[in-house]
Amino acid sequence: MPDTATGGAASEIFRSWDEIRLDQALLLVAAAALLIAAVRWFVPKLASWVPERFRFRILPWEPILRVAILALLGLKLLPIFIQPTTENLLAIAGASAVALGFAFKDYAASLVAGVVALYERPYRAGDWVEIGGVYGEVQSLGLRTARLKTPDDTEVSVPHGLIWTQPVHNANSGARDLMCVADFYLDPDHDGEQARRLLTDVALTSPYLNLERPVTVVAAEKPWGTHYRLKAYPFECRDQFQFTTDLTLRAKALLRQGGFTAVTAPVATGGV
C-alpha cells in the first residue's frame, strides 16, 4: 500500500510521458544556452567600448543576466514536466525552501552575525583588524560582510559569520592611533642598558611619533640571543608601516655603529 501511494503521488505531480513536450523543452534549453553565450560575449565587448569609469559597472551584469536567464528557463520548463495544480506548486515550493535553507545557511549565519557585530561592535569603520588571517583597515560594514583594505591596497570582503569561529584582533578599537612594534635580535654579550637607551632615542626622534603616548622597550633573553621589542605609537593608524620602517632602519644603523651584533633565531628542525 505505501508503495502504491507513493507512486500515485509522484504520478499526480509529474506529467505522463505522453503529455511531456520534449521538443519544446529542448528548444527552450537551446535558446537559453544561446542567450547565455551571447551575454558572455556581448557584456565584455560592451565594457571594452565604453569609457573606463563605466567598465566596472557593466561587467557585473554578466552573471546577473545569466542567473536571470536560468531562472526564466526553470519557470518555463516547470509546467512542461509538472502538473500546475495548487497542491503540486505548494509541494515544490516547500521542497525548494528546504533546499534553499541548506544552501544559504552560511549566508543566513553571516546576516545574523552582521546584526550582532553592529550591536557589539567588535570592529567599526576605520579600525585596523585581523579577521580570518586577513589584516587591514575596515572600509565599510554591510549586513553580510565587512570590507577591509589590506596594506597591499587590496580590498577583501570578510563574512561577519567568521566572528562565530575566529578570534577578532582589533589594533586600535576606534582610537586614532595604535601600537607599533619593531623587533631586534642581538648577540647576548652586550650592554643591555645602552641598547635600551639607543632604541628609546630612535623612537623619540621619529617624525611619526605621538609624544603623548608611551615609548617602551621590552627585552627577553633567549638561548640564542636577546630579543628587544620597541613599542611606540604613531600619530595616525595609517602611518603604522612607515613608522615601523623608520624605527627598524634607523635603529639597525645605530646598533651597528654602536658595536652591537645582530643574530637570527635558529630554524626549528624535526625530531625529538
Side-chain angles (χ1 to χ4, degrees):
M1 291 297 293
D3 294 339
T4 305
T6 304
S11 63
E12 290 176 1
I13 295 177
F14 293 99
R15 292 183 182 273
S16 64
W17 282 107
D18 296 337
E19 296 177 324
I20 295 176
R21 298 282 304 275
L22 284 178
D23 55 342
Q24 186 178 356
L26 292 175
L27 185 61
L28 288 172
V29 171
L34 289 175
L35 282 175
I36 290 174
V39 166
R40 284 178 171 171
W41 175 84
F42 178 72
V43 173
K45 282 287 186 183
L46 179 61
S48 65
W49 294 335
V50 300
E52 187 68 22
R53 64 181 182 276
F54 298 116
R55 179 170 177 266
F56 292 104
R57 296 185 179 182
I58 293 176
L59 286 176
W61 280 97
E62 179 188 344
I64 295 175
L65 291 174
R66 285 194 282 113
V67 170
I69 292 170
L70 290 175
L72 183 61
L73 174 64
L75 291 176
K76 291 293 185 180
L77 289 178
L78 192 64
I80 295 178
F81 294 94
I82 303 296
Q83 295 281 0
T85 63
T86 303
E87 293 78 6
N88 290 345
L89 293 178
L90 289 175
I92 294 172
S96 300
V98 173
L100 289 174
F102 280 106
F104 289 97
K105 63 178 181 179
D106 291 335
Y107 186 90
S110 292
L111 289 177
V112 175
V115 175
V116 173
L118 292 175
Y119 173 72
E120 295 188 351
R121 305 185 75 182
Y123 41 77
R124 67 208 81 182
D127 284 356
W128 283 85
V129 300
E130 181 180 349
I131 310 173
V134 178
Y135 179 71
E137 181 183 10
V138 179
Q139 299 290 299
S140 64
L141 297 174
L143 282 179
R144 191 184 69 85
T145 62
R147 188 164 56 89
L148 273 60
K149 179 173 284 189
T150 69
D152 297 327
D153 200 27
T154 301
E155 289 191 356
V156 181
S157 294
V158 179
H160 293 301
L162 290 180
I163 67 175
W164 304 129
T165 58
Q166 301 280 342
V168 178
H169 304 269
N170 195 323
N172 62 317
S173 190
R176 180 181 176 183
D177 57 7
L178 53 77
M179 177 184 288
C180 293
V181 181
D183 294 285
F184 304 93
Y185 306 91
L186 303 179
D187 186 279
D189 186 15
H190 67 270
D191 185 346
E193 188 61 34
Q194 181 185 356
R196 183 172 69 173
R197 287 197 304 268
L198 187 150
L199 292 174
T200 302
D201 290 342
V202 167
L204 291 175
T205 54
S206 175
Y208 300 99
L209 178 68
N210 183 358
L211 292 171
E212 296 180 357
R213 303 299 297 271
V215 175
T216 309
V217 177
V218 179
E221 200 67 22
K222 305 292 183 181
W224 40 267
T226 305
H227 178 199
Y228 287 92
R229 306 192 77 200
L230 175 56
K231 302 180 179 181
Y233 296 79
F235 281 107
E236 294 284 349
C237 294
R238 295 180 181 180
D239 294 333
Q240 58 183 292
F241 305 106
Q242 295 92 327
F243 183 46
T244 304
T245 300
D246 177 63
L247 296 178
T248 301
L249 296 183
R250 290 194 301 112
K252 183 177 180 181
L254 290 177
L255 288 170
R256 186 184 297 112
Q257 293 175 10
F260 296 92
T261 303
V263 295
T264 55
V267 179
T269 58
V272 180

